[in-house]
Amino acid sequence: MDFWGSGPEGRQAGDFSFHVLNANAPEEEVRRHSHDEAHFVLVLAGGYMSSASGAPLVSDTPVLIYNPPGTTHQDRFHDGRGRFLAISGGTGPEAAALCLRDPYAYRLAQDIAHQVDATTSFRLEACALQLHSIVLPLSSDEAHNAKHPPGWLNRAVEMIFASDDPDLSVAEVASDVGVHPVHLARVFQRFLRCSPGEYLRGHRLERAAAMLGQGVASLADVAQSTGFVDQSHLTRTFRSRLGITPAQWRKSRYVAPIQDATATMRQALPISLQEPGP
């Protein structure tokens, strides 16, 4: 999908593409144009003028626009200057373009914009699906079952929890349990209060912590084995979630195997030869 902007090559994750772009056309040169795919536009800088329902005449506050497939518009930046995140792909309802004021949706889009080059494909795909789950209306069956977690949710959780595949995607999980990826994201948020990507990231952190506690693999090997982009990504996540670096965690956990080995040795000795404990 083409946008009136320029920037580095974007990323692909599942059915979605992600680009952070700078407006590259004077306002008066932007003509009416169409987009075949559904897409979100998050304004990062500049005054955006959109025909989406609920959008201001020109933006001066945080703006997140959703355009369904087939949108034709002349959205553009005032004076041709601005910066934006574009997320293309997925399916959407046959509805008018919307300006989203949902704080959760805005935070998700901001997370993507700031981590698009440094996070996993699973995380990007999961966030995009979560955005779509906000704009897609509930079906009658979904509304009827909204109070009770579906049986397939346990299978999805178990699949993520048991997987060692660093390239596991939301689409794969959804396909395995027989639901649409957007529905998977919506149900995760409803019953687990997190997206599939957030759940996977938490599980990867748990696996990394366990590997580090064993004190064998290098930090780089731990990062690669548990699905982090690289060692620095592992370090940032550890510090953000646990307030400690992986190296500090390993050092603090290393006493456990020493204690375990001492206990095993004591059990193997005759009682008369065992030293008193501390």
Side-chain angles (χ1 to χ4, degrees):
M1 178 180 291
D2 294 328
F3 292 94
W4 293 82
S6 60
E9 183 177 352
R11 286 188 63 182
Q12 188 76 26
D15 294 330
F16 299 96
S17 60
F18 305 81
H19 295 83
V20 176
L21 303 170
N22 294 308
N24 64 355
E27 178 184 337
E28 62 274 10
E29 291 186 10
V30 178
R31 307 301 182 200
R32 284 181 64 83
H33 55 281
S34 298
H35 298 271
D36 294 332
E37 291 183 299
H39 66 281
F40 292 87
V41 172
L42 172 68
V43 177
L44 300 171
Y48 196 60
M49 297 182 291
S50 173
S51 57
S53 176
L57 182 62
V58 60
S59 64
D60 193 38
T61 56
V63 172
L64 174 62
I65 303 293
Y66 169 71
N67 291 304
T71 293
T72 298
H73 61 196
Q74 198 174 353
D75 290 6
R76 60 204 184 277
F77 280 94
H78 173 64
D79 203 26
R81 293 182 295 181
R83 189 166 178 265
F84 62 100
L85 164 72
I87 305 170
S88 303
T91 57
E94 296 181 2
L98 301 172
C99 178
L100 298 176
R101 297 295 184 184
D102 187 311
Y104 179 71
Y106 184 76
R107 181 180 68 81
L108 279 175
Q110 282 284 358
D111 285 348
I112 294 174
H114 292 126
Q115 301 181 38
V116 68
D117 293 323
T119 194
T120 62
S121 294
F122 190 103
R123 166 69 173 162
L124 289 177
E125 181 191 20
C127 286
L129 287 167
Q130 200 68 27
L131 284 173
H132 275 272
S133 75
I134 293 170
V135 299
L136 283 172
L138 287 173
S139 68
S140 58
D141 287 341
E142 289 174 331
H144 177 73
N145 296 320
K147 295 182 180 180
H148 304 284
W152 55 260
L153 181 58
N154 284 340
R155 300 200 307 275
V157 167
E158 180 61 27
M159 181 178 179
I160 293 175
F161 189 80
S163 176
D164 292 328
D165 181 6
D167 297 321
L168 180 68
S169 71
V170 177
E172 288 179 75
V173 177
S175 176
D176 187 79
V177 300
V179 299
H180 192 281
V182 171
H183 185 47
L184 177 79
R186 176 184 287 132
V187 172
F188 256 77
Q189 186 61 41
R190 183 182 306 137
F191 292 105
L192 300 178
R193 297 295 186 267
C194 67
S195 71
E198 289 168 336
Y199 186 88
L200 178 65
R201 188 168 69 253
H203 172 52
R204 284 173 171 165
L205 183 65
E206 293 168 353
R207 288 185 56 230
M211 288 185 67
L212 290 166
Q214 295 169 0
V216 178
S218 68
L219 296 184
D221 287 341
V222 170
Q224 183 178 21
S225 298
T226 54
F228 290 90
V229 175
D230 51 28
Q231 182 177 329
S232 63
H233 183 207
L234 172 65
T235 298
R236 289 195 305 272
T237 302
F238 246 80
R239 185 179 287 117
S240 171
R241 303 293 294 180
L242 300 178
I244 191 173
T245 67
Q248 290 168 331
W249 170 267
R250 165 169 282 170
K251 185 177 180 180
S252 69
R253 297 293 97 189
Y254 192 64
V255 68
I258 297 175
Q259 291 173 337
D260 292 344
T262 302
T264 301
M265 182 179 66
R266 283 180 177 173
Q267 291 172 2
L269 290 173
I271 295 177
S272 61
L273 297 180
Q274 292 184 15
E275 296 180 358

